[in-house]
């Protein structure tokens, strides 16, 4: 029998994160203020600890993972690399399909890889409480989990409509000792101003971000934490790809094509960047790396590459990235984690330079692929993840036609245990495939300030 | 750093199940019919395939696991044995605490260990469809998963009130291709008779069992499948304990005391029997093996040891076991899997002979322990499993007082992702601790027919 799992022992967890900033063909465009001035570390220090700010701007290739972080990673890492032999048989493809399974983490996704690290660096600098926002709760539950190990308090502003409709991840946060508050709330000035206008406001991610940042900057020993997009978040996620490289060595194989879903970009960056390094270095010029996104929010496939705010409330600096406009509100697809208007600057740059490709799908075809996967391999994946399952299956079927024995990889970033209502809608034939809302995006993009970065 | 995970490679999965019938001090009392006649293999053949019936009565010590079953086991097995170093530190105990984590299986519990095996043996004998009943859906989802790998259809009768209130596991069954029907249903004569009397019947496990069996015996190439209690089910679960023994060797340790929750008994039997074998053989005379149950359904701690039916509808043979009476309806505690009136004959016998002990808890103290565990180790466990977490923590605290460096083990049988409403009730202070319903049990026991087995 062929092996189906490639495991590493806990001593084999990589001891350093990989920082792709060291290997970019040209440096990253800096984040800027609306007046075009580059953002300085001091500008960021009210909301992030210096340890993370240093990582944000570092060009060191390898950054040591603290022992205390490794000690927590060991609770679920290294995660298994699977060879999907049953899926290959079901598809009758000559291709080999591999996936890295992050669903074994207690919060059920890749998110704790950075949550644990962020909690650690904040604790080291005397921070006593972290604030953050969450939509459906995946990031909030990961940060609740991460802070539990370092004695930090955690306050999560959860979009009210999700807080009411999707209580499960909120309860998980409580299991780990975090405080989860429906947003808009009376805790913040901004929240109160919203509630005054509309006491029944369902909230939005933009409002929740604003509340979380306000809470952090107006309280002592309190900082804010972000779950994707930023360089240091992507850095922490490279633990996934670094493990993966060791596991492909065990398998005596190497991917020809890699797929991952992209919301803010940290999941796929983490899985792929250690391989992208080989491509940038010229060792693997033919490696295809493909970001998978929803047609309802096609940032990489339809958006322009330009400076834009990371959040709807314009509280963040302007980042150089693919964007549909910070005011863009995508249609309500079930893959909530892929409904972000922008994308990580590092990932965006590599797409812009042609190193990484992108593809977009409708949600019905995506769920169909996820069900094919569940029936072959057993795991029920998150709707976000299902986007790259679709891409991997399509590639395997192309190989069936051409006879190519390609090695296909996808980043299986999390389970769908809290997303089963979406599967239910799929089985009932009730999923809606939203066309690309081009007009909405056009209007949102018109409102993005045109800034020219000033040369330092 | 001490290791926290003891992993085995997939080639190290045990190749044989352990059958404790070979090592019992005295043979098991046979299942009998109401007239006292022993049940023959022929009696069972309308509902079970001969492969499983043979295992039910076998006294062979080792039974080979078919390659096809091992091939499916590899998707998530071997499961990790954890050393709970963080929990030890949190409790400040000198004891060492280990747990075997079955939550990594796609259905999230130990149940697929037998579901996969049962699906295989049925497939081998030409069975095309399996029927079963399920309460909250843990067993139904495991069988849906198991049958998916062998091309069998699967029909799950799910108690209507759970079908309506707890849709998630129903949707998982659909993900794996099973048909899930609210019971009582119009599919069966028995279901129709119930609906005629009460069109809004909420259903019960007893009704669902009756429908599943009727469906199996009235259709060609259709058999019935049971998720606990029977000898062959416990046999399949010994894969857990056998892996565990190898892992304790890696850890250079051996348990002094083992805890597991007991509903029907298959989970704890599977984890402990390979160790109980050492005790029966006299190699580990001091090993303590403790079954953990709810005070609301205290079968082992309060029930008599006698012949009783395995189901409320009296369709099964009479089994020699601890029982609170087949008509006993326990209070609605959240650990639905522990609300069974009886216990596996094999486990019951070992309790009767003093080899295995039993202890009972209230649900509030049980959830408190589960939250302590979640905050230390990260995993949110099922309410059933939480019973043995409570026992393990209590033992560790006793060790703190006495200074004993005991090695404590508990069977961490599954995650609580679909049970978070119960945690929510705990946090809200809304859990009810039901006293032992002695009067209910007394009445139920009065209705158990007194049978004397005829000597064959």
């Amino acid at each position: 029998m062929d092996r189906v799992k490639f495991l590493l022992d806990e001593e084999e967890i990589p001891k350093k994160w990989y920082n792709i900033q060291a290997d970019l063909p040209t440096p990253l465009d800096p984040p800027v203020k609306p007046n075009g001035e580059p953002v300085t570390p001091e500008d960021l220090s009210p909301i992030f600890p210096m340890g993370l700010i240093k990582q944000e701007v570092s060009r060191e290739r390898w950054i040591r993972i603290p022992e205390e972080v490794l000690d927590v990673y060991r609770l679920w890492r290294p995660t298994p690399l699977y060879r999907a032999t049953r899926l290959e048989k079901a598809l009758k493809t000559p291709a080999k399909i591999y996936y890295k399974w992050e669903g074994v983490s207690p919060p059920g996704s890749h998110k704790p890889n950075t949550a644990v690290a962020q909690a650690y660096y904040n604790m080291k600098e005397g921070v006593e409480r972290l604030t953050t926002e969450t939509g459906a709760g995946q990031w909030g539950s990961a940060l609740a989990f991460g802070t539990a190990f370092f004695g930090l308090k955690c306050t999560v502003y959860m979009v009210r409509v999700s807080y009411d409709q999707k209580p499960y991840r909120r309860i998980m946060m409580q299991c780990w000792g975090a405080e989860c508050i429906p947003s808009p709330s009376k805790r913040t000035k901004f929240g109160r101003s919203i509630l005054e206008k509309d006491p029944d406001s369902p909230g939005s991610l933009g409002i929740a971000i604003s509340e979380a940042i306000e809470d952090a900057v107006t309280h002592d020993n309190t900082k804010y934490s972000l779950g994707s997009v930023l360089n240091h978040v992507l850095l922490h996620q490279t633990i996934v790809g670094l493990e993966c490289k060791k596991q492909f060595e065990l398998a005596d194989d190497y991917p020809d094509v890699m797929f991952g879903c992209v919301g803010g970009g940290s999941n796929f960056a983490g899985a792929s960047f250690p391989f992208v390094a080989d491509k940038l270095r010229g060792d693997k010029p033919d490696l295809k790396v493909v970001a998978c996104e929803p047609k309802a929010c096609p940032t990489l496939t339809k958006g322009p590459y330009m400076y834009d705010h990371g959040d709807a409330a314009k509280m963040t600096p302007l980042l150089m990235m693919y964007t549909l406009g910070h005011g863009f509100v995508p249609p309500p697809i079930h893959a909530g984690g892929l409904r972000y208007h922008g994308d990580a600057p590092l990932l965006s740059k590599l797409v812009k330079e042609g190193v990484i490709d992108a593809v977009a799908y409708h949600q019905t075809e995506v769920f169909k692929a996820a069900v094919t996967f569940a029936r072959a391999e057993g795991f029920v994946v998150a709707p976000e993840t299902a986007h790259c399952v679709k891409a991997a299956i399509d590639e395997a079927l192309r190989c069936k036609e051409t006879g190519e024995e390609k090695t296909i990889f996808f980043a299986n970033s999390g389970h769908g245990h809290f997303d089963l209502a979406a599967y239910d809608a799929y089985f009932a034939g009730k999923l809606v495939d939203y066309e690309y809302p081009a007009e909405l995006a056009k209007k949102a993009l018109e409102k993005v300030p045109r800034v020219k970065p000033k040369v330092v």
Side-chain angles (χ1 to χ4, degrees), chain A residues 287-298:
Chain A
L287 173 65
K288 274 192 74 174
V289 183
V290 187
C292 306
E293 59 181 18
K295 283 198 171 173
C297 188

Side-chain angles (χ1 to χ4, degrees), chain A residues 68-133:
Chain A
E68 294 91 331
V69 172
L70 288 171
D71 193 31
V72 181
Y73 278 175
R74 292 189 305 157
L75 288 175
W76 75 97
R77 305 210 70 85
T79 62
L81 176 73
Y82 274 86
R83 168 92 185 270
T85 51
R86 290 175 180 274
L87 180 62
E88 293 167 15
K89 270 180 216 150
L91 300 174
K92 298 193 178 76
T93 178
K96 287 178 282 181
I97 307 174
Y98 294 84
Y99 59 92
K100 178 80 165 161
W101 178 224
E102 291 291 301
V104 292
S105 80
S109 79
H110 64 290
K111 292 278 183 192
N113 296 326
T114 187
V116 168
Q118 292 190 41
Y120 168 79
Y121 286 106
N122 277 283
M123 176 275 290
K124 283 296 277 183
E125 296 181 29
V127 174
E128 291 170 4
R129 186 167 65 98
L130 282 179
T131 69
T132 198
E133 73 288 340

Side-chain angles (χ1 to χ4, degrees), chain A residues 230-308:
Chain A
L230 298 180
N231 302 342
H232 68 271
V233 180
L234 274 58
L235 173 77
H236 301 154
Q237 292 294 354
T238 60
I239 188 83
V240 177
L242 292 166
E243 281 180 10
C244 221
K245 282 192 95 168
K246 288 190 179 190
Q247 289 165 314
F248 267 108
E249 277 175 31
L250 280 182
D252 198 18
D253 210 339
Y254 192 95
D256 293 306
V257 51
M258 306 184 79
F259 298 104
C261 65
V262 170
S266 72
N267 156 56
F268 192 44
S272 68
F273 279 5
F275 295 88
V276 171
D278 296 343
K279 186 172 180 176
L280 291 172
R281 204 185 302 120
D283 290 348
K284 296 285 177 183
D286 298 329
L287 173 65
K288 274 192 74 174
V289 183
V290 187
C292 306
E293 59 181 18
K295 283 198 171 173
C297 188
T299 317
L300 296 169
T301 50
K302 298 278 186 185
Y305 183 64
M306 64 188 290
Y307 270 109
D308 193 5

Side-chain angles (χ1 to χ4, degrees), chain A residues 173-194:
Chain A
M173 294 179 219
Q174 291 176 299
C175 285
W176 290 315
E179 173 184 49
C180 181
I181 297 167
S183 165
S185 77
K186 291 185 178 165
R187 286 280 184 101
T188 66
K189 205 172 152 186
F190 187 69
R192 288 189 296 272
S193 76
I194 300 284

